[in-house]
Amino acid sequence: MSEHKLILVKRRTRLEELVVRYNTVQQAQFYIERLGADFSDYMEEDRRYRLSVQQAQQQLGQLGRVQTIDREHVPNFIFGEQDIVVVVGQDGLVANTLKYVTEQPLIGVNPDPLRWDGVLLPFTVEDLSFIVPDVIRRQRALKEVTLAKVELNDGQVLYGVNDLFIGRKTHVSARYEVRLGTSAEQQSSSGIIVSTGMGSTGWFKSVLAGATGIVRSAAWQNMNSEAEVATASASIHGSRQELNHFNWDAPYLYFSVREPFPSRTTAANLVFGQIHSKQPLHIVSQMPEDGVIFSDGVEQDFLEFNSGVEAIIGLAEKRGRLVV
């Protein structure tokens, strides 16, 4: 086991974030209670999380060399080929760590099962004593996850485990040219979402739900019979269900344009489609400032995407590997 270094990834709790902002626990408590919230919940969450991290360190320390890193250091951390990564969640921390590893197996640990559902956190701290040895002996199943990749024409690269967002930092409309296969058009919109299979039940699902609701309501107002409404609703629901559940390892991505605005110079036809290895998505920015591309909801981890920069979005050359 000495060949394998165990990398434990942790994050700040809500309480720790408040202390960074307000300097002391007492000042943080004053701020929260002044708003009528329960500060004891922050304290209890912090206590449970710290205890879980401490227990994980003890468990892993009995199995091999352990290195603990904070979430903010993950993007610059160099993972070794034989490393095993243990993330003490929530789900978002698993996703944000997964895009920075290469072939290393990742174990998601739920620090508080009564508080967090943890779709990506199938294990508790107590499980580590037998899960890690199984992974080292390659006796544990691994679930592969398709990642999205955006590459700019200046060489910069960003990966996404759940999704990518291409647009403006603010609520101002984004302007760009989009091209998929032989289709291309000028667009003005609230931005573009690109989703992986893992992300298809998150942001992407909410975009589809909104579009489905609008189409259904519009259809009802233009139909004359209940039978027509039922048929249209069933068709819309079936299409949405099929898209909502494409697999984590699916060899394709989907993109969706948010709130496209048709005008004399912009169109709204190329607003949804599939991206695969032979059909990447090309986007050329026409935004003089504040154009960005970020992944997995982390706005601090972004690429600038201003006028003249071209982004090519497709499947990543690497895949995530989650221990199940």
Side-chain angles (χ1 to χ4, degrees), residues 23-265:
N23 298 318
T24 67
V25 173
Q26 292 75 18
Q27 288 178 313
Q29 181 176 3
F30 173 77
Y31 170 78
I32 293 298
E33 292 182 343
R34 187 182 62 177
L35 296 176
D38 181 10
F39 188 72
S40 66
D41 184 59
Y42 289 76
M43 296 287 289
E44 180 62 14
E45 177 193 338
D46 181 79
R47 185 190 70 81
R48 287 180 176 272
Y49 186 77
R50 287 175 179 271
L51 179 61
S52 293
V53 170
Q54 182 181 10
Q55 291 174 338
Q57 290 170 329
Q58 292 173 348
Q59 292 267 9
L60 297 175
Q62 297 174 8
L63 300 172
R65 296 174 296 152
V66 182
Q67 183 171 355
T68 301
I69 61 174
D70 290 319
R71 175 181 189 164
E72 55 265 34
H73 297 142
V74 171
N76 299 316
F77 187 81
I78 299 176
F79 293 91
E81 291 184 6
Q82 299 298 319
D83 289 351
I84 295 173
V85 183
V86 178
V87 176
V88 182
Q90 302 119 353
D91 282 343
L93 184 58
V94 173
N96 288 319
T97 302
L98 195 61
K99 66 186 177 185
Y100 293 108
V101 301
T102 50
E103 298 298 321
Q104 296 85 356
L106 188 149
I107 303 170
V109 175
N110 193 332
D112 192 350
L114 295 178
R115 182 182 296 269
W116 313 115
D117 291 335
V119 176
L120 305 181
L121 307 169
F123 306 112
T124 63
V125 173
E126 291 76 15
D127 296 329
L128 290 175
S129 60
F130 63 88
I131 295 297
V132 173
D134 282 353
V135 173
I136 291 173
R137 292 191 292 263
R138 300 186 179 181
Q139 296 177 344
R140 199 78 195 180
L142 299 176
K143 190 168 186 176
E144 291 199 339
V145 178
T146 298
L147 274 62
K149 177 184 178 181
V150 55
E151 185 171 5
L152 304 185
N153 55 355
D154 63 4
Q156 294 187 82
V157 171
L158 182 67
Y159 294 93
V161 175
N162 289 319
D163 43 54
L164 298 168
F165 172 80
I166 303 96
R168 296 288 287 267
K169 285 183 179 179
T170 64
H171 294 291
V172 178
S173 294
R175 290 293 300 268
Y176 52 86
E177 179 187 78
V178 60
R179 186 170 76 252
L180 183 72
T182 59
S183 301
E185 66 183 32
Q186 302 289 322
Q187 288 187 352
S188 174
S189 76
S190 297
I192 299 176
I193 304 296
V194 176
S195 177
T196 67
M198 179 179 283
S200 63
T201 55
W203 199 351
F204 182 71
K205 180 179 179 180
S206 70
V207 171
L208 290 183
T212 301
I214 292 171
V215 172
R216 182 184 294 117
S217 297
W220 284 350
Q221 295 181 31
N222 289 283
M223 291 180 179
N224 299 318
S225 69
E226 293 185 3
E228 288 178 319
V229 172
T231 300
S233 295
S235 175
I236 293 170
H237 180 74
S239 299
R240 178 182 156 198
Q241 287 296 105
E242 181 180 350
L243 291 172
N244 276 350
H245 297 288
F246 66 99
N247 294 334
W248 289 4
D249 61 350
Y252 51 82
L253 315 167
Y254 275 104
F255 79 92
S256 180
V257 179
R258 302 170 63 210
E259 303 170 330
F261 182 76
S263 69
R264 291 182 179 179
T265 57

